[in-house]
Amino acid sequence: MNGTSTGSEAAALIARLDWAQSPLGEANDWPQSLRTAVDIVVNSPMPMLLLWGRELIQLYNDGFARLAGNKHPGALGQPAHATWPELESFTAPVYDAVLGGQVRTFTEQPFVLQRNNRDTEIWLDLTYSPIRDEGGQVAGILVTAIETNERRSKTQELQQRSEDSLKAQHNSEQRLQLALAATDAVGTWDWNIGEDRFIADAHFAALHGVDPSDAGRLPISDYLNGVHPEDRGMVARSIKHCITHGSEYAEEYRLQHADGQVRWVFARGRCYNDQHGRPTRFLGAALDLTERKNTEQALRHLNENLEERVAQRTQALAEANLRLQNEMFERERAEDALRHAQKMEAVGQLTGGIAHDFNNMLTGIIGSLDLMQRYIAAGRSEEIGRFTDAAVSSAHRAAALTHRLLAFSRRQSLDRRPLDPNQLVVSLEDLFRRTKGAHIELKVQLGRDIWPVNTDASQLENALLNLVINARDAMPDGGQLLIETANSYLDGTDITTLEPVKAGDYVMLGVRDNGSGMAPKILAKAFDPFFTTKPIGQGTGLGLSMIYGFAQQSGGHVTIQSEPGQGTCVRLYLPRLHGTALQSHAPSHLGEAPMAMAGEAVVVVEDDPAVRMLVVNVLDELGYTAHQAADARTALPLLESDLRVDLLVTDVGLPGMNGRQLAEIARQYRPGLKVLFMTGYAQKAAERQGFLEDGMDMVAKPFSIDLLATKIRSMISV
């Protein structure tokens, strides 16, 4: 109920009701169409009643609560026929017609209602309009009720003044009754912003001069063409402001039909974003105000006192609107504060988990180096091998975690290569068996003739290992873990994913357990960044969200199914690779890198002394002449001199002038100079393609000495 007004008594009652016990279910699970309809009702200045679902459950605003008399507040959340059995003979055929998509209006309909424990006769102008759900089906009825007792009393008073006065007013009174007979009606819309597809019901389409048969296939511009030229710019600016700032849309404007007829409408709506914060849908409803405005103008002509009453009512509505705007402002402030608190909670969860992992890795590195120093000081340098292995292993784990974080934020491009999914699973089977624990049975079920895929092998290995660890943690008392592969064809109808599915061939890699499973509320947040059910410090909440990001970068999809007590199944779908033979990529070693040829020289520019020392030492061992500089300012004299320079090796993120700018200036003095960039913040693939020119390459930190040596040799040799 995040859209209701906090200043409304009815809204407060709706918020406090235990909807989980009603046919509508938990309020947080209501469809967006119901949320929008409730928001319109509780914020309307006119009495409104919303009947929703097959049981016609009642939700209404303060204005209708006053009409309901002794029925309020017991009627709230109850079926309509159960609350008003005495009116069923009148309402039953009306409800049937409206649920069939029709609109029903009644002028000065008499009713006898209980007010202050006694029968009271009231007269109402009523409109019953269908409300549609996201699928375009009628899911509810919106009832607008205007009490006309005072109007009837005034009319009778005027009729009694004199026969002559009655005859003089006869024609105007007839026109008034005709206007009231076609009282306010509601039209709804659902605009898909990305596809620019504006779905509207027949009434809204007809109001805006659109053929109802085309109402679900046209862009928004076709509907804006129906807006009066003097109001069109205002409406377009208001819609843009709503989408840009996430504010509520509420505008009153004119429509001009082809025959010159002008009608008035009041439209209220809101823009909704996807999980990435991008605006996707714009929903709302429009109220036809034409007859009401015409009626008000005819109340003014009948009597000067009525004109004064209209002015007072207008002032009251303006004050109510001002209060509503103030309440909306306060609500937005509260929502901003809540979002900030949620963001800080997420940051706390993330930093706690990452700090836990990095502290373990730093302990392995620092402790090993400390022991190495002690052993060397004691003359036991021949025994330090196991400590160097431990330090290197911990450092590689830290580098892997950094790359996983960059991949999660899609700032790390994938190292795509063709691979056989079955071969990868087989190579990891021993690791899976050690990871799962002895209390869990592992079963591997590989499909036959599995297609190759083109993806990052290390990222895929990490994704599968994450899923195995999650499955293990879900089965503390033991169970069965199944890892499977299969060829699949997806057309978008056979699976449910967060993103649209591109039809085609995919390879499915699945991990299934029969552990504790997840409740629906937990399952709904499974792919959310930083969400975890583990205690702070024992999980970053990035596992499944990283897998989701990896699948999207690979052009694939990921699905998750889970039931409490039954287990969980996560399936990763990667696009099939066509027409490429699989190749083996063996790692290079320092010993395989050819030595420098006589006189070959390299300029190294790196602001970190330790990294600069490492690169210079590698060059010295391979026989290159190495010139070093800590920044671009120091490097330029070397590059502008007569020194022989076969290759420039530079960090991208230098202080002052960056490495890319340095390379640009260096090539002005040395056209065609080869440049190898080093970076600790890998860019997206698209950015890298625009960043590098011919004769340029890039290596991401942290890198191995083998990789650096081979890269340097291969660039100079070209």
Side-chain angles (χ1 to χ4, degrees), residues 604-617 628-630:
V604 179
V605 188
E606 169 61 64
D607 60 315
D608 187 293
V611 177
R612 188 168 68 247
M613 178 190 70
L614 170 68
V615 177
V616 170
N617 283 348
Q628 55 180 302

Side-chain angles (χ1 to χ4, degrees), residues 191-202:
W191 179 29
N192 185 318
I193 298 175
E195 299 177 5
D196 192 15
R197 186 160 55 90
F198 200 93
I199 303 171
D201 62 17

Side-chain angles (χ1 to χ4, degrees), residues 526-538:
F527 289 124
D528 288 358
F530 317 132
F531 177 76
T532 178
T533 57
K534 298 178 180 179
I536 293 178
Q538 297 186 21

Side-chain angles (χ1 to χ4, degrees), residues 417-419 451-454 505 507 574-582:
R417 294 184 181 181
L419 62 85
W451 299 318
V453 296
N454 187 38
D505 291 335
V507 174
L574 299 178
R576 174 186 181 181
L577 176 64
H578 293 273
T580 301
L582 298 178

Side-chain angles (χ1 to χ4, degrees), residues 110-426:
F111 293 94
V112 177
L113 300 178
Q114 278 278 316
R115 287 183 172 176
N116 299 321
N117 296 317
R118 66 176 184 177
D119 290 344
T120 304
E121 185 178 50
I122 67 169
W123 301 77
L124 298 175
D125 282 355
L126 296 166
T127 300
Y128 296 81
S129 306
I131 299 295
R132 301 182 183 272
D133 60 17
E134 288 78 0
Q137 301 300 313
V138 178
I141 300 173
L142 185 63
V143 184
T144 303
I146 300 177
E147 185 173 344
T148 61
N149 285 27
E150 184 176 346
R151 186 179 65 201
R152 282 181 56 82
S153 176
K154 193 63 181 179
T155 301
Q156 292 172 356
E157 177 186 342
L158 292 173
Q159 287 174 345
Q160 293 174 2
R161 286 184 179 179
S162 69
E163 180 107 15
D164 293 339
S165 177
L166 180 62
K167 289 180 180 179
Q169 295 175 9
H170 179 70
N171 290 335
S172 61
E173 186 70 17
Q174 262 195 332
R175 290 193 296 271
L176 173 60
Q177 294 303 321
L178 287 173
L180 292 174
T183 187
D184 300 346
V186 173
T188 61
W189 79 79
D190 182 351
W191 179 29
N192 185 318
I193 298 175
E195 299 177 5
D196 192 15
R197 186 160 55 90
F198 200 93
I199 303 171
D201 62 17
H203 185 70
F204 188 94
L207 278 175
H208 290 73
V210 173
D211 187 344
S213 62
D214 295 331
R217 301 191 297 268
L218 299 177
I220 192 173
S221 57
D222 286 51
Y223 290 82
L224 290 176
N225 288 337
V227 179
H228 194 286
E230 295 178 4
D231 295 347
R232 194 175 299 152
M234 174 269 293
V235 171
R237 287 191 299 272
S238 182
I239 292 174
K240 182 178 180 181
H241 184 273
C242 172
I243 294 174
T244 303
H245 300 283
S247 59
E248 183 177 84
Y249 171 75
E251 290 293 346
E252 184 175 293
Y253 58 90
R254 292 168 292 173
L255 299 170
Q256 187 172 47
H257 291 183
D259 59 2
Q261 180 188 12
V262 175
R263 300 191 70 84
W264 284 86
V265 297
F266 173 72
R268 182 187 294 275
R270 184 175 289 277
C271 178
Y272 297 89
N273 299 336
D274 63 14
Q275 68 272 18
H276 303 297
R278 297 188 297 261
T280 57
R281 297 177 67 194
F282 188 73
L283 295 87
L287 193 67
D288 188 349
L289 301 180
T290 307
E291 274 62 50
R292 193 181 77 182
K293 282 185 172 290
N294 292 340
T295 301
E296 290 173 352
Q297 184 177 3
L299 293 172
R300 284 194 301 269
H301 290 168
L302 285 174
N303 192 283
E304 293 181 358
N305 291 333
L306 291 179
E307 182 176 355
E308 182 180 352
R309 294 179 64 84
V310 170
Q312 292 173 350
R313 180 58 176 163
T314 301
Q315 178 65 26
L317 288 175
E319 292 173 356
N321 186 52
L322 180 60
R323 289 195 301 270
L324 178 60
Q325 290 178 349
N326 291 335
E327 291 165 0
M328 289 170 53
F329 175 72
E330 292 300 324
R331 184 173 64 198
E332 288 176 0
R333 289 181 57 187
E335 289 174 352
D336 289 342
L338 176 60
R339 282 192 292 269
H340 179 72
Q342 290 173 335
K343 181 173 69 175
M344 296 307 297
E345 181 181 0
V347 170
Q349 182 69 56
L350 172 65
T351 55
I354 293 178
H356 172 267
D357 290 347
F358 265 113
N359 283 338
N360 284 341
M361 299 166 191
L362 290 174
T363 299
I365 296 171
I366 296 172
S368 297
L369 293 175
D370 184 37
L371 287 172
M372 290 166 59
Q373 289 178 330
R374 292 171 181 268
Y375 272 50
I376 291 173
R380 300 169 60 186
S381 57
E382 71 280 356
E383 302 179 38
I384 66 174
R386 65 182 186 273
F387 304 127
T388 61
D389 291 342
V392 170
S393 175
S394 294
H396 281 311
R397 287 170 54 211
L401 179 56
T402 302
H403 284 286
R404 285 165 54 200
L405 290 169
L406 290 173
F408 163 71
S409 63
R410 304 195 186 185
R411 302 293 295 179
Q412 170 74 48
S413 60
L414 297 179
D415 183 13
R416 297 174 185 250
R417 294 184 181 181
L419 62 85
D420 180 346
N422 277 359
Q423 187 178 22
L424 181 136
V425 172
V426 170

Side-chain angles (χ1 to χ4, degrees), residues 17 19 22-25 30 34 49-60 75-81 139-141:
L17 279 178
W19 292 104
S22 77
L24 298 186
W30 286 357
L34 174 54
L49 164 68
L50 175 64
L51 307 176
W52 195 265
R54 297 173 61 182
E55 295 82 0
L56 298 178
I57 301 302
Q58 301 174 99
L59 301 102
Y60 49 80
L76 199 61
Q78 298 300 315
H81 288 318
I141 300 173

